[in-house]
Amino acid sequence: ALDAAIFGPIPTDQHGQATAATAAALKNDIGIHGVAFDAQVLAVDYYSDVNNTDSVQGKYLVHTSDPFTYLTSRGARIVNTSYGYESGSGVGIPSSVTELYETTSPAVAAENGALLVASAGNGSRSQPSQSNLDIITELQGAGVLDSGDNYIGTGAGAFIIAGAVNSLGQIANFSDRAGAGPTKNLYMVAPGVNLTLPWNGSLQSVSGTSFSAPLISGAAAIVMQRWPNLSAREVAAILLDSADDLGTPGVDSVFGHGLLDLQAALQPLGTTSFAVGGTSTGAGTVSVTNSGMFLATAFGDAPALKAALTNAMIFDAFGRNFQID
């Protein structure tokens, strides 16, 4: 199992517990279990000066916490942020205040090579929340994302924005949509309406993009567990490319890439190939589609060879290994 980091407002809050449970609650025949029920959760109180640095900005002594580097430096490869903000949602600073406390952007997690999964927001807007837009801007500046509309950059880290759908596959009335430009290329949806989760000491029905995000994070943990050599960028591409297309065909402004499909994500994607040796260029790969085998009559029925070929190994476009007959 792989480490994952689950963020809620505060460690004792029901929202944080429900978010963590969605991704990784134990499968112990009690209550619910999470998508990646074998995953490890690293919980951090990110208001408590984690990796703190101090600076003087005007009249203020500013304490900046960096919980994201704390997480990634301890092995977390997936960071789920089920919170955010909109433009203009800040508050004024009283004149008597001389010290400020802040945290670094969640973008730091992706800059450090992790997969960052963030909730889109619950404002019924045509695009994800301002916090997601700010993360994209920072990741483009850091080279983690392309400066254009593409969702894949050159680094190891990656970013996915999670919207919510109901049980009929319709966009939830509260969910922020995929929008245009780079946001829709980073956006996918997962169930987020009337989910049964632990809340205030019991199981209750809850809704929100906060709970769509950890469904995607849990799926990412399963893919990473199966193929630990994959980078966060490759895992993001697998989840986005294997999503079930909803709405307008292709990547659209409502559903983005579409609905999370973990079963499809665990199947070969792209061109499949055999690893071979003895070719004109030495060792390499041969497309499964274009391959074949012809045996001379001296081989007869070749029962041993036939049996061996019922359990051959192939590789998909991401270099993931699969068994094939």
Side-chain angles (χ1 to χ4, degrees), residues 153-201:
T154 57
F159 181 38
I160 292 178
I161 303 171
V165 293
N166 61 23
S167 60
L168 299 177
Q170 301 164 332
I171 195 74
N173 58 10
F174 56 79
S175 179
D176 288 352
R177 276 60 169 170
T183 57
K184 73 176 183 181
N185 290 309
L186 297 165
Y187 185 103
M188 65 188 303
V189 294
V193 179
N194 296 330
L195 304 183
T196 300
L197 295 171
W199 196 272
N200 197 26

Side-chain angles (χ1 to χ4, degrees), residues 262-275:
L262 179 54
Q263 183 174 10
L266 296 174
Q267 302 303 312
L269 294 175
T271 301
T272 52
S273 59
F274 291 108

Side-chain angles (χ1 to χ4, degrees), residues 55-90:
S55 62
V56 177
Q57 300 179 24
K59 73 170 187 175
Y60 301 113
L61 173 61
V62 180
H63 307 274
T64 303
S65 173
D66 182 7
F68 303 101
T69 297
Y70 176 92
L71 293 164
T72 56
S73 66
R74 285 159 176 78
R77 299 186 63 196
I78 305 164
V79 176
N80 186 97
T81 55
S82 288
Y83 68 93
Y85 57 82
E86 288 297 338
S87 58
S89 62

Side-chain angles (χ1 to χ4, degrees), residues 26-33:
L26 292 175
K27 187 174 183 180
N28 56 4
D29 298 325
I30 299 173
I32 67 157
H33 67 75

